[in-house]
Amino acid sequence: MRIERLTARPDDVMPALTRTALTFGALDQLLRCHPLREAVLFRVRLEAARQCAAVDGFLIDPWQLAASLEGLRPRIRGQDVYERGSEVDALRYAFEQYQWLVRASTLQEERIAEALSSMTLPVGRLGVLWGSALAFREWIERGDARAPFRGALVRLWQKERVFSGLYPVTGAAAFRGGTSWEERRWIPTWLDALEREAAGVRDMVHTLERSWRDARAQAGNQRRHSKAALAIDVIAAYPVISATTLATKLSVSLQAAYVLLERFVERGLVVDVTRRSARRFFALKDFAPLRESVRKPRKPLPGCKRGRPRVSEIINPQEDNVIEDVVFQPLPRWQPDFSELEAAMKAIDTLTCSLSSSS
């Protein structure tokens, strides 16, 4: 019996293809010279890694990943060993997805190059979007993993001048459970997923723009030579920023930068995401969830010196419903007790002797 393959036809693909191409073009024009481009890309990369991990079965809070990327200690909210371990595993998997999309290792780059080479013929024959969709489907049917091809897509968009930068738009939602794998249906579904991701980035840009403009307006009422408005511009251009970096960008002293940052924090324009007194990082108020995903530094116990506390010292292992490291009491040394075994063996000997004597 001959089985006809349901290949995608132009009528199946062209509507979704047109919408996706127009959305891509509008997004590239919006971000090409945008002052908030780096902050937007930071958020977009977090969301892309979250989506890729989610469709692969790992759910995470993207701000936990952001805390890890910025060198901060993320809060692990699990209430037992199993939940905490599952959360750590999911966070590690999301970090690997982030690597494939943004900072690939040497071995990952080799796999990405292999995926890029597999797109050459389809893209040359059908164009960037349709050809990459067909190549992606064939890549999966060969049994290869999704992550290398996602990283290759990010580079393909820049190589073919679809985007002016490495924008992590991969259409991850097309791999959700229940999605049809027929070529005629899956390719339009994947193109629609690309369009929705690009539209989400555009909405994110507008949200950050409003926050930036509001902060700039509320930072006014300063002296004529004040650099408050310029400081807001610098803070908005970075995902997170330190007082040292701000002082360098503004050509002011470190103390003056701290004065500006503390003033912005009091007015609710900027948040301190590190929750500590030294080596602090700041960001616009839209990055407040990052602050909640950073573990609070443990306060020293009264009268306790630096270093690991003694076993006899009482500590509170829970802070803000988060289980911290606990110092456990050592187990007592095991002392074997064979009294019951000896009694059983003695009873058997007695029974054996009685049986032999009666015989």
Side-chain angles (χ1 to χ4, degrees):
M1 181 178 178
R2 181 181 178 183
I3 300 177
E4 183 181 358
R5 183 183 179 187
L6 299 177
T7 58
R9 298 174 299 182
D11 294 342
D12 303 322
V13 177
M14 290 309 297
L17 187 64
T18 303
R19 292 193 303 268
T20 304
L22 291 175
T23 306
F24 274 22
L27 177 61
D28 185 56
Q29 290 296 322
L30 179 63
L31 283 178
R32 186 175 290 269
C33 298
H34 201 285
L36 302 182
R37 175 173 171 171
E38 292 302 319
V40 171
L41 284 178
F42 179 80
R43 292 282 298 272
V44 172
R45 287 163 178 167
L46 291 179
E47 180 62 19
R50 184 199 68 79
Q51 290 185 10
C52 292
V55 298
D56 292 346
F58 295 90
L59 300 179
I60 68 157
D61 179 359
W63 294 106
Q64 289 181 316
L65 177 59
S68 299
L69 295 174
E70 294 299 326
L72 306 173
R73 298 183 66 184
R75 298 176 63 187
I76 305 300
R77 298 179 177 86
Q79 296 302 316
D80 54 35
V81 175
Y82 176 78
E83 291 183 1
R84 288 168 63 84
S86 299
E87 194 167 352
V88 170
D89 290 341
L91 186 59
R92 182 182 297 111
Y93 187 85
F95 178 76
E96 292 177 358
Q97 301 305 307
Y98 185 90
Q99 279 187 303
W100 284 106
L101 297 173
V102 184
R103 302 174 185 172
S105 63
T106 303
L107 295 178
Q108 289 173 339
E109 286 291 354
E110 294 177 359
R111 292 286 289 152
I112 289 174
E114 181 182 350
L116 269 174
S117 63
S118 69
M119 300 187 211
T120 304
L121 291 178
V123 168
R125 182 165 53 92
L126 298 172
V128 179
L129 294 176
W130 192 349
S132 59
L134 187 61
F136 202 171
R137 193 173 183 279
E138 293 175 350
W139 176 271
I140 297 299
E141 286 187 338
R142 291 203 307 264
D144 291 316
R146 304 169 188 170
F149 205 95
R150 289 167 179 160
L153 284 173
V154 176
R155 288 150 181 81
L156 178 70
W157 304 145
Q158 185 182 42
K159 177 183 176 182
E160 297 294 332
R161 299 182 180 180
V162 176
F163 291 131
S164 58
L166 297 175
Y167 297 174
V169 181
T170 63
F175 289 95
R176 290 174 179 169
T179 304
S180 176
W181 189 241
E182 291 183 6
E183 184 178 322
R184 292 177 57 182
R185 297 183 179 181
W186 185 82
I187 291 181
T189 301
W190 184 69
L191 293 173
D192 288 337
L194 291 178
E195 181 196 2
R196 288 194 299 271
E197 285 187 23
V201 177
R202 182 189 58 204
D203 295 340
M204 187 183 299
V205 173
H206 295 327
T207 300
L208 291 178
E209 280 181 348
R210 287 193 296 269
S211 176
W212 172 41
R213 293 191 182 114
D214 292 345
R216 212 174 190 278
Q218 297 178 42
N221 300 325
Q222 305 287 337
R223 299 189 308 272
R224 184 178 62 179
H225 299 292
S226 174
K227 294 186 177 182
L230 182 58
I232 291 294
D233 295 344
V234 174
I235 296 171
Y238 286 82
V240 294
I241 192 172
S242 65
T244 304
T245 303
L246 181 62
T248 302
K249 295 295 181 180
L250 297 179
S251 299
V252 297
S253 65
L254 183 61
Q255 182 179 1
Y258 263 118
V259 169
L260 285 173
L261 290 169
E262 293 292 349
R263 186 180 304 163
F264 295 156
V265 170
E266 292 176 0
R267 296 186 179 185
L269 309 179
V270 168
V271 294
D272 178 2
V273 299
T274 51
R275 307 161 70 101
R276 61 194 183 196
S277 58
R279 297 171 56 203
R280 301 163 68 188
F281 290 98
F282 302 85
L284 287 183
K285 60 182 180 181
D286 287 274
F287 286 76
L290 176 59
R291 172 182 171 83
E292 300 304 320
S293 298
V294 175
R295 183 186 300 181
K296 287 184 178 180
R298 183 178 296 170
K299 296 181 180 180
L301 296 174
C304 180
K305 299 181 181 180
R306 297 181 62 183
R308 183 181 295 275
R310 297 178 181 176
V311 175
S312 59
E313 294 175 349
I314 301 176
I315 64 173
N316 183 13
Q318 296 188 358
E319 182 180 358
D320 292 341
N321 296 325
V322 179
I323 300 179
E324 300 289 350
D325 297 333
V326 183
V327 178
F328 294 95
Q329 295 284 351
L331 294 175
R333 185 177 181 84
W334 180 66
Q335 298 293 338
D337 183 8
F338 301 110
S339 58
E340 294 183 0
L341 178 61
E342 291 175 353
M345 294 177 64
K346 186 176 181 180
I348 293 174
D349 292 340
T350 303
L351 179 61
T352 303
C353 293
S354 61
L355 291 176
S356 60
S357 60
S358 61
S359 62

